[in-house]
């Protein structure tokens, strides 16, 4: 597999089942199917992309569009497809597209212990600018608040 084999495209409501499956595989507190369907169908501020490999959705990212800020809500790559630069491709496409559309600042929260994700975000210019204490419900872990400020 090369990144040329991966298709990154805007998500549609038809992707909800695949995104829900990835949510449940990747997160201890996954979003509900209803929440995902709302995000993909009815939330005018939401923008989601998926990564496909051989017709299978293997990753996704979501963002809420608020004026010139993009709040990245979730980034996930299906187990078994990690460490293949798919996450890097997803983040790159998300930032490139939304920056062209007028987003100047991107932000996200990430588990303090998620070194792999933190290092990935740093590659794209994200820096830690704060901490949300006991942010994660399943274990009370802190979240780092990371920002990327555009030109």
């Amino acid at each position: 597999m090369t990144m040329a084999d991966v298709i990154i495209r805007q998500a549609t409501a038809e992707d909800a089942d695949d995104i829900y499956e990835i949510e449940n595989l990747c997160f201890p507190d996954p979003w509900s199917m209803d929440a995902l369907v709302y995000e993909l169908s009815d939330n005018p501020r939401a923008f989601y992309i998926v990564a496909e490999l051989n017709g299978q959705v293997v990753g996704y990212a979501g963002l809420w569009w608020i004026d010139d800020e993009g709040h990245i809500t979730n980034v996930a790559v299906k187990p078994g497809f990690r460490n293949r630069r798919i996450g890097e491709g997803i983040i790159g496409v998300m930032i490139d597209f939304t920056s062209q559309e007028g987003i100047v600042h991107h932000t996200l929260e990430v588990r303090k212990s998620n070194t792999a994700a933190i290092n990935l975000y740093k590659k794209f210019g994200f820096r830690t600018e704060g901490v949300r204490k006991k942010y994660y419900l399943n274990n009370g872990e802190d979240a780092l608040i990371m920002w990327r400020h555009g030109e």
Side-chain angles (χ1 to χ4, degrees):
M1 183 218 82
T2 67
M3 276 308 293
D5 298 325
V6 177
I7 296 168
I8 298 176
R9 61 170 173 79
Q10 187 169 353
T12 67
E14 288 74 39
D15 295 311
D17 287 335
D18 292 325
I19 292 172
Y20 182 70
E21 177 189 1
I22 295 169
E23 270 285 306
N24 280 278
L25 290 170
C26 295
F27 299 114
D29 294 317
W31 287 29
S32 70
M33 177 61 93
D34 287 346
L36 290 169
V37 169
Y38 172 75
E39 290 289 290
L40 294 167
S41 303
D42 298 320
N43 184 351
R45 295 193 180 277
F47 175 72
Y48 279 74
I49 59 175
V50 294
E52 275 187 359
L53 180 61
N54 299 322
Q56 177 186 7
V57 174
V58 296
Y60 80 97
L63 174 141
W64 289 334
W65 210 297
I66 305 162
D67 295 323
D68 68 347
E69 294 179 7
H71 183 117
I72 297 174
T73 56
N74 280 337
V75 178
V77 175
K78 199 173 194 176
F81 294 91
R82 295 179 180 159
N83 300 312
R84 299 186 193 188
R85 302 185 69 197
I86 294 171
E88 193 171 324
I90 292 169
I91 295 291
V93 169
M94 175 72 79
I95 289 171
D96 288 348
F97 178 80
T98 58
S99 294
Q100 290 172 18
E101 295 295 313
I103 288 182
V104 179
H105 311 281
H106 293 84
T107 187
L108 53 82
E109 289 93 7
V110 61
R111 285 181 187 271
K112 193 174 176 181
S113 65
N114 193 344
T115 307
I118 292 165
N119 289 335
L120 173 62
Y121 301 139
K122 284 180 176 178
K123 284 184 183 179
F124 290 95
F126 282 86
R127 297 291 172 253
T128 301
E129 293 189 12
V131 176
R132 293 198 198 283
K133 296 286 187 189
K134 300 181 181 183
Y135 183 75
Y136 292 97
L137 299 176
N138 71 307
N139 66 357
E141 185 175 355
D142 294 349
L144 300 181
I145 305 166
M146 298 184 80
W147 282 90
R148 177 188 181 278
H149 301 288
E151 311 302 305

